């Protein structure tokens, strides 16, 4: 697929066919996360691949009972393993690093004809406990991946002129 078509096609998918993603396709998607940029190239992440049906159901329950999450072929939990690290700007990079990897995976999955959805709304403590994630790490987000069973309509986006200005800040 042309890159622009991948960008245009990627949408958050919240309905999935109950069909497994072949391992080699999943590994190509994970590879796109492995190659993602991260602050100081620390690669401070671990991605938990959740395929077990019972585990997916528990994750869906912990994600505000959004049970469609369990229909995805895979749920990936993005864990920041160096959550106290700060960039030169003073900002924490951990969520940014995971978000960048998730963006790579979303686009790679789209290119494979798959759908994804970032899940940021979940019981963090309960999910960490369930997944056995050490206390000191941060569970930044969950990413569902699977074969789409919906075609979302067009999504509202701000116009370009609303989101840019030139040289200096202007409202
Ligand atoms: C950081 C982040 C958190 C999100 N959390 C959720 C979520 O908890 N549940 C959900 O259904 N969608 C979630 N989304 C998906 C957004 O709602 C979606 O990206 C947005 O509405 C734009 O739609 P599109 O992805 O189809 O272009 C999240 C997206 C991002 C980037």
């Amino acid at each position: 697929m042309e890159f622009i078509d991948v960008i245009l096609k990627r949408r958050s998918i919240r309905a999935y066919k109950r069909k497994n993603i072949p391992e080699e396709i999943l590994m190509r998607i994970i590879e796109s996360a492995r190659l993602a940029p991260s602050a100081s190239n620390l690669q401070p992440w671990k991605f938990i691949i959740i395929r077990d049906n019972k585990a997916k159901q528990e994750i869906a329950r912990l994600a505000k009972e959004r049970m469609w999450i369990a229909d995805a072929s895979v749920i990936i939990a993005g864990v920041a393993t160096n959550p106290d690290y700060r960039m030169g700007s003073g900002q924490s990079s951990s969520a940014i690093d995971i978000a960048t990897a998730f963006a790579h995976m979303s686009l790679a999955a789209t290119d494979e004809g798959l759908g994804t959805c970032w899940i940021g709304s979940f019981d963090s403590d309960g999910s960490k406990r369930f997944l056995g994630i050490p206390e000191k790490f941060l569970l930044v987000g969950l990413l569902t991946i699977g074969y789409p069973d919906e075609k979302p309509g067009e999504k509202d986006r701000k116009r370009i002129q609303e989101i840019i200005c030139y040289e200096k800040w202007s409202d």
Side-chain angles (χ1 to χ4, degrees):
M1 218 185 285
E2 292 288 327
F3 184 67
I4 185 63
D5 293 326
V6 176
I7 296 279
L8 289 168
K9 195 150 185 259
R10 187 220 54 83
R11 294 298 312 281
S12 292
I13 297 298
R14 299 183 179 88
Y16 294 97
K17 293 183 178 137
R18 295 197 179 202
K19 185 178 162 192
N20 283 334
I21 303 174
E23 191 64 18
E24 67 269 21
I25 294 182
L26 180 61
M27 283 305 128
R28 284 203 289 271
I29 294 168
I30 301 289
E31 176 70 354
S32 76
R34 194 181 72 84
L35 296 174
S38 60
S40 300
N41 196 26
L42 288 176
Q43 305 161 65
W45 46 43
K46 183 93 133 185
F47 301 101
I48 305 177
I49 298 167
I50 305 154
R51 278 184 179 281
D52 178 76
N53 275 330
K54 283 222 169 82
K56 287 189 293 184
Q57 264 164 30
E58 183 58 16
I59 292 292
R61 208 185 55 70
L62 287 160
K64 313 265 188 273
E65 309 268 345
R66 304 232 156 69
M67 297 316 289
W68 57 264
I69 290 171
D71 294 335
S73 173
V74 180
I75 302 170
I76 297 197
V79 182
T81 54
N82 196 357
D84 297 331
Y85 183 78
R86 302 213 158 243
M87 299 176 283
S89 66
Q91 285 181 49
S92 166
S93 52
S94 48
I96 300 170
D97 290 336
I98 297 286
T100 308
F102 271 22
H104 274 213
M105 287 196 281
S106 297
L107 295 172
T110 303
D111 194 41
E112 301 278 359
L114 296 163
T116 61
C117 190
W118 178 306
I119 307 295
S121 190
F122 55 87
D123 169 353
S124 180
D125 290 342
S127 305
K128 275 180 76 174
R129 224 175 297 119
F130 177 69
L131 294 169
I133 298 168
E135 183 95 1
K136 61 185 175 186
F137 297 154
L138 180 68
L139 174 56
V140 175
L142 305 165
L143 188 73
T144 56
I145 312 179
Y147 289 93
D149 200 16
E150 64 166 346
K151 274 205 179 108
E154 232 174 72
K155 194 88 187 178
D156 255 11
R157 288 294 197 263
K158 292 179 179 174
R159 289 174 301 112
I160 282 203
Q161 290 309 326
E162 285 180 78
I163 62 169
I164 61 169
C165 48
Y166 293 96
E167 315 306 342
K168 298 231 171 175
W169 176 271
S170 70
D171 289 321

